[in-house]
Amino acid sequence: NPSQNEHNYALHLRKAMSEGIPGFEPHMVIDTGRNGVAGERGNCANWCNIRGAGAGRRPTANTARRDIVDAYFWLKTPGESDGCT
């Protein structure tokens, strides 16, 4: 899975959107409220409500790819449930 983390997913999503809509170059905001422990989502069964996932990087506009990623932001309260199906 080339999009095994939020950063890679944002980059792949932007690439797909830009290729699908000529001239469209979206910027991304990455939710870091529940990605503090690397590798916790390695298995698809471990996507929702992961115990011990931890809060990731604090909200900031200082991102690894400022040309694409506008901010890291806690979109929900860290530790709050996303729900499951």
Side-chain angles (χ1 to χ4, degrees):
N1 179 359
S3 298
Q4 78 279 17
N5 63 46
E6 288 84 352
H7 188 261
N8 288 344
Y9 179 75
L11 297 180
H12 286 109
L13 182 61
R14 181 182 193 268
K15 182 178 186 293
M17 293 173 81
S18 295
E19 289 173 353
I21 306 170
F24 183 52
E25 296 182 359
H27 284 236
M28 305 294 176
V29 172
I30 297 176
D31 181 4
T32 57
R34 291 149 298 176
N35 70 348
V37 178
E40 287 294 306
R41 290 185 174 93
N43 181 327
C44 289
N46 296 332
W47 196 257
C48 294
N49 307 323
I50 303 170
R51 291 186 190 273
R57 190 163 181 191
R58 295 183 81 151
T60 182
N62 185 18
T63 70
R65 292 289 310 265
R66 293 182 189 179
D67 58 322
I68 296 172
V69 180
D70 288 338
Y72 301 130
F73 192 75
W74 293 350
L75 299 176
K76 291 181 80 174
T77 302
E80 185 176 310
S81 174
D82 280 328
C84 284
T85 57

